[in-house]
Amino acid sequence: MAASHIRDVAALADKCAWNGVQEYDLIRGDFAAPYDYSNYTTPVVGPDSIDHDVLRMVRRMSIEEKVGQMTQIEVGQLIDCDGYLNVTAAEYWIDKWKVGSILETPGNHNGRYNWYSAARFSEFTDSVQKIALERGSKVPLIWGLDSVRGAQYVGGAVIFPAGIATAATFNPEYAYDAGRVAAKDSRAAGTHWAFAPIMDLSVNKLWSRVYENFGEDPFLSSEMAKMSVAGYQGDYKNDRTRVAACMKHFIGYGYPFDGKDRSNRHIAAHELLEYYVPPFKAAIDAGVATAMESYGVINGEAVMLSHYYLQKLLREQLGFKGMLVSDWGEINSQAQTYFTAKDIRQATQVALQRTSVDMSMVADDQSFGENTIDLIKRGVISERRLDQSVARILQLKKDLGLLKQPFADPKLAATVGSDQDIETARNAVRESVTLLKNSNNTLPLGLYEKVIFLGPTLNSTRYMGGGWNVHWQGPSDNEGDSVYQGFGDTILQGIESITGAAPAYLPGVDIEGAQLTSVDDIVAAAKSADKIVIGLGEHTYAENEGNIDSLALPWGQLDLVYTVAKRTNKPIVVVLVEGRPRGLGDVPKIADAVVNAYLPGAYGGLPIAEVLYGKVNPSGRLPITYPASEAQASDTIWQASYSAYNPQWAFGYGLGYSDITYSNVTLSADALFVGASITATVTVTNNGPYPQKEPVMMFTHQQYRLGYAPELFRLRGFRKVSLAVGESKEVSFTLTAEELAFWDRDLKRRIEPAPVNIAINPFTAADVVATVNLQDVDA
């Protein structure tokens, strides 16, 4: 007995001799072959009634099996000490707790490899599915993955621009494309459920998650959200290259009062309905299959335990019929973080009694299963409450085809990282890059010009990615760019592709601002050049999870610009690679040109270079307000009109290389009544010298509003038009009185009569305005 025990210990010690340093999953294959796919331009048929066969499944289940379906654990619970699948652990969770869902990639949870290829990932997921079919409830698992920028957790998959960059295109087709490719590549890995799109309004610009979302504006976010849902889901009940989308985070997550993630949000109920709810309503109308509740509290009330937010508003008012999952450990956090419950048991009880949550992303322990089973058996919670949730979960599994075939399709793996996916992502970058300043036509650069390139972001794939990039917070310092194994580029590589020669480059400083190149060497190189391009930006959020106390970029980065400007007399171009609008000090005054590239993703280098050298005419526009000071961190385009709005750059701002002019706005009528509409028309002309894609935006501003301060501007419509040199196009928008209704403090919709300015592209040189009279009616 003792000898056997010694042998077992020795075997275990040998097995666990792995040092924990993740390996590279060497990704090979032919990634050039194109593939066919179906586009879905109309709203998908989303979740509806529960099928009879699903109800029969629910009735046959034991309490333990039902609770298991409502339990989601993270994949790290199944990882052995050697980094591979721990079959015994998987059998334990499926046999003992009958879990119905897994989330995440082994690469984020001490798996053997840091970036799992589709083949390696699917080998893991398929192995766990086989256990699920043989043990426990014998019901296939649904596997969730944060595929928010393409399937960025799947090795070699194309990492798309962040949400803020996608929004900057003002072209929702790119939200669709990113979702479509993410779905395909997620399915290739054996996962079926994408925790995306992310639709929080990025109000406080200090917030570490600004980059994930589609900006600060309700209308822009809504348009992007519904196309994103269509991209992820398509005909998800029949098309097995699509996944279930998950709108998140419901609700109000993007306005932490101090900018720190999960801080309390102070949002009046009528303002929540007016600004924060519309993107989620758009996603529901588009057929989104699932939703995820938000971290934290609003006005002190825990979202996770709120009957109003997670039953009355979500289910009854907005009509959401899909499956609702908690965010990571949020039931447990009520007792452990927010102190909104005495203990985890009480939090579990209240979440089940007051809300419509269907699945607990408990993540790391069995507390949800233990407490829920006990609460049911003691009669505190009715089994009927479980039946509602389990029915929604099983219906989702049926809709995704999992009850028939839950395994990965190996044919999809050959399409991961394909050339056409790379080009799709690069097209999004080409339309997102935003030119914010261009004095004396400093840009575009000429191939004949001698240019010196400086700064930490020009020679990094990692910094172009930011968060949700290989790992949740991006590659670590140890991984750097090597983790990509060539599946990406840099801005310098893009420049070399354009010019045919290796660019002259000195890093100057690192991403934290520490000096890497002597000042004398920098100045000497700068003096010898015709123009100077300096790349500034943010560290990936891996080291500090992105929380910051100041918007300002590291001093060393800013001082690099100041030093070059002071000691040379050469034109300076600053390229920003950042996930949120960082403080730039005097850089906007000093630099001759400023380009915002946001977080363009792993293949952003070539498109940025194309913009710098005039191969692409920039057409991106700011989807956020870019503050000029810390005090403006929460300024938005829709704030009260009497409040000062003097940002560095306004929402919707951006330049191109062509001279674009707008005619006056013509209206089809001078009065606006309920039940009718008016048409606003403007003619846009490209006076050259380059072809231009031009975002045309229509805003409204009510001159006064009885009892309620009108907003500065509300975006009501936008279109992106392509204009050849010398070409003019008429662009028309329709506006109804109902669109000008607003929520009052009694949570009723109302319209107040007043003159309303219809503005096209305010805060730009193209600003044109006409006025219509909104008539006195009830909304």
Side-chain angles (χ1 to χ4, degrees):
M1 195 66 183
S4 174
H5 174 70
I6 291 171
R7 283 196 302 271
D8 291 343
V9 170
L12 182 62
D14 182 62
K15 177 182 179 183
C16 295
W18 180 49
N19 62 8
V21 177
Q22 292 181 309
E23 301 172 9
Y24 292 108
D25 183 3
L26 299 177
I27 305 163
R28 298 289 182 266
D30 178 8
F31 299 99
Y35 61 89
D36 295 324
Y37 59 90
S38 298
N39 267 328
Y40 303 95
T41 56
T42 56
V44 300
V45 177
D48 197 358
S49 58
I50 307 298
D51 294 342
H52 291 298
D53 59 338
V54 170
L55 293 174
R56 286 194 295 270
M57 286 181 66
V58 175
R59 287 195 293 268
R60 289 196 298 265
M61 284 183 163
S62 66
I63 291 173
E64 290 78 7
E65 288 172 331
K66 291 175 183 177
V67 174
Q69 287 300 305
M70 298 172 65
T71 301
Q72 184 179 60
I73 61 168
E74 52 92 357
V75 70
Q77 300 299 312
L78 313 182
I79 302 294
D80 212 336
C81 57
D82 60 359
Y84 295 111
L85 173 64
N86 184 331
V87 174
T88 302
E91 291 174 345
Y92 165 79
W93 281 104
I94 291 169
D95 262 342
K96 171 69 175 175
W97 299 105
K98 299 171 176 50
V99 295
S101 182
I102 311 289
L103 81 151
E104 267 275 22
T105 168
N108 285 347
H109 296 275
N110 300 313
R112 191 79 179 198
Y113 304 97
N114 47 18
W115 203 23
Y116 279 65
S117 66
R120 186 88 62 180
F121 205 144
S122 63
E123 179 183 14
F124 193 101
T125 57
D126 284 354
S127 296
V128 181
Q129 286 288 11
K130 289 175 183 175
I131 296 171
L133 293 178
E134 295 169 357
R135 293 175 174 268
S137 302
K138 297 182 174 60
V139 175
L141 301 164
I142 182 169
W143 203 295
L145 199 64
D146 284 289
S147 296
V148 303
R149 302 177 55 186
Q152 78 280 345
Y153 287 165
V154 178
V158 175
I159 300 174
F160 277 71
I164 189 174
T166 304
T169 68
F170 279 81
N171 186 345
E173 290 180 7
Y174 291 118
Y176 178 94
D177 286 338
R180 173 185 61 77
V181 175
K184 169 184 68 69
D185 293 351
S186 298
R187 278 285 196 164
T191 68
H192 331 96
W193 181 15
F195 298 135
I198 307 175
M199 296 151 38
D200 309 300
L201 293 191
S202 298
V203 176
N204 191 325
K205 310 311 185 297
L206 284 160
W207 187 39
S208 60
R209 305 188 72 167
V210 165
Y211 75 96
E212 302 176 22
N213 304 284
F214 297 127
E216 72 183 33
D217 183 78
F219 182 80
L220 175 60
S221 185
S222 296
E223 294 299 296
M224 292 290 172
K226 65 186 182 185
M227 287 297 285
S228 182
V229 168
Y232 280 103
Q233 289 190 183
D235 184 13
Y236 75 106
K237 297 181 182 180
N238 296 290
D239 186 342
R240 300 310 172 213
T241 68
R242 303 299 175 116
V243 297
C246 181
M247 61 179 192
K248 68 179 189 182
H249 306 82
F250 191 84
I251 183 87
Y253 188 30
Y255 192 17
F257 81 98
D258 62 354
K260 300 295 194 299
D261 192 36
R262 307 193 197 188
S263 288
N264 189 18
R265 286 93 76 186
H266 305 294
I267 306 172
H270 62 290
E271 292 185 335
L272 189 86
L273 294 174
E274 183 69 31
Y275 306 114
Y276 298 84
V277 166
F280 291 92
K281 179 64 166 66
I284 292 169
D285 291 344
V288 70
T290 73
M292 184 183 294
E293 59 80 39
S294 171
Y295 284 120
V297 299
I298 300 176
N299 305 324
E301 181 184 9
V303 176
M304 183 69 254
L305 303 183
S306 172
H307 177 76
Y308 173 72
Y309 294 126
L310 300 187
Q311 176 59 42
K312 187 173 181 180
L313 177 58
L314 179 64
R315 299 290 189 184
E316 297 169 20
Q317 187 168 334
L318 298 180
F320 177 63
K321 297 180 180 179
M323 195 264 276
L324 173 64
V325 64
S326 78
D327 210 329
W328 187 286
E330 267 299 272
I331 290 180
N332 292 13
S333 292
Q334 304 309 307
Q336 297 172 340
T337 302
Y338 314 123
F339 309 111
T340 53
K342 178 178 67 175
D343 51 31
I344 294 173
R345 176 187 170 86
Q346 186 183 57
T348 303
Q349 175 184 332
V350 173
L352 291 171
Q353 287 176 330
R354 292 184 184 175
T355 81
S356 62
V357 67
D358 299 309
M359 182 179 288
S360 173
M361 190 188 291
V362 66
D364 291 323
D365 61 45
Q366 69 275 15
S367 59
F368 178 79
E370 285 179 334
N371 287 313
T372 303
I373 290 169
D374 186 63
L375 288 166
I376 294 291
K377 291 186 174 180
R378 291 177 181 272
V380 179
I381 303 292
S382 73
E383 191 171 352
R384 182 177 298 179
R385 168 65 181 86
L386 300 189
D387 292 348
Q388 294 173 338
S389 290
V390 175
R392 284 194 280 256
I393 293 166
L394 293 179
Q395 184 65 52
L396 177 63
K397 291 183 177 183
K398 178 183 178 182
D399 290 342
L400 289 166
L402 304 185
L403 300 185
K404 291 183 177 180
Q405 205 291 88
F407 302 109
D409 181 353
K411 295 191 296 295
L412 292 178
T415 71
V416 173
S418 70
D419 286 352
Q420 74 186 80
D421 291 348
I422 294 171
E423 190 64 14
T424 298
R426 282 177 167 162
N427 284 337
V429 180
R430 290 176 178 117
E431 292 198 32
S432 71
V433 174
T434 305
L435 181 62
L436 297 173
K437 182 180 180 181
N438 195 24
S439 298
N440 303 315
N441 294 321
T442 300
L443 291 175
L445 303 172
L447 293 175
Y448 57 87
E449 292 179 313
K450 184 178 180 182
V451 183
I452 181 68
F453 296 89
L454 306 171
T457 59
L458 299 183
N459 196 31
S460 172
T461 307
R462 173 191 178 197
Y463 297 144
M464 290 197 302
W468 297 124
N469 166 29
V470 178
H471 306 303
W472 175 37
Q473 303 286 5
S476 68
D477 286 341
N478 288 333
E479 289 171 323
D481 277 5
S482 63
V483 71
Y484 298 99
Q485 301 178 59
F487 290 93
D489 62 12
T490 66
I491 297 172
L492 291 184
Q493 288 173 338
I495 290 164
E496 185 170 354
S497 296
I498 298 295
T499 64
Y505 172 69
L506 294 173
V509 299
D510 67 15
I511 200 69
E512 302 293 354
Q515 201 76 34
L516 295 178
T517 310
S518 74
V519 172
D520 288 342
D521 287 347
I522 293 170
V523 171
K527 284 183 175 180
S528 70
D530 297 318
K531 292 178 180 177
I532 304 155
V533 175
I534 305 177
L536 308 181
E538 290 192 289
H539 199 296
T540 52
Y541 299 160
E543 306 306 317
N544 60 8
E545 296 190 354
N547 281 332
I548 54 177
D549 295 317
S550 170
L551 285 173
L553 281 173
W555 168 254
Q557 288 196 42
L558 301 179
D559 193 49
L560 177 63
V561 181
Y562 300 158
T563 299
V564 170
K566 183 177 180 180
R567 296 184 58 178
T568 72
N569 189 28
K570 302 296 177 68
I572 295 174
V573 177
V574 169
V575 178
L576 303 174
V577 180
E578 57 184 14
R580 56 193 151 187
R582 299 301 298 264
L584 302 175
D586 290 332
V587 167
K589 299 176 184 176
I590 293 171
D592 299 275
V594 179
V595 174
N596 195 347
Y598 309 96
L599 295 177
Y603 288 97
L606 177 61
I608 293 168
E610 290 172 338
V611 169
L612 292 176
Y613 278 89
K615 303 296 183 182
V616 170
N617 195 342
S619 63
R621 300 294 183 264
L622 285 175
I624 46 158
T625 296
Y626 203 117
S629 67
E630 302 285 337
Q632 298 174 354
S634 294
D635 282 7
T636 65
I637 191 68
W638 42 265
Q639 68 188 35
S641 60
Y642 70 85
S643 297
Y645 186 75
N646 300 302
Q648 188 68 59
W649 295 289
F651 174 93
Y653 184 78
L655 306 168
Y657 293 147
S658 289
D659 174 26
I660 305 295
T661 55
Y662 284 68
S663 70
N664 290 328
V665 183
T666 60
L667 303 179
S668 60
D670 58 8
L672 186 56
F673 300 89
V674 168
S677 63
I678 63 166
T679 301
T681 303
V682 65
T683 300
V684 189
T685 301
N686 180 8
N687 301 299
Y690 304 98
Q692 178 81 51
K693 291 183 178 179
E694 176 73 2
V696 184
M697 307 173 211
M698 181 185 73
F699 295 79
T700 62
H701 164 67
Q702 193 160 332
Q703 294 182 11
Y704 57 86
R705 197 164 65 183
L706 183 61
Y708 291 83
E711 299 101 336
L712 181 65
F713 284 105
R714 290 294 299 273
L715 181 65
R716 304 296 184 183
F718 60 87
R719 282 182 57 194
K720 200 165 194 177
V721 296
S722 296
L723 297 167
V725 175
E727 183 179 13
S728 296
K729 284 186 178 178
E730 228 180 46
V731 180
S732 295
F733 299 98
T734 300
L735 181 69
T736 66
E738 288 80 355
E739 291 176 78
L740 299 173
F742 64 97
W743 290 97
D744 66 16
R745 73 183 311 272
D746 297 319
L747 305 188
K748 294 180 180 179
R749 296 283 282 171
R750 62 192 287 182
I751 292 175
E752 288 293 339
V756 175
N757 294 342
I758 297 175
I760 305 295
N761 292 17
F763 304 108
T764 72
D767 182 14
V768 288
V769 181
T771 302
V772 65
N773 289 305
L774 178 62
Q775 298 301 300
D776 187 6
V777 289
D778 294 326

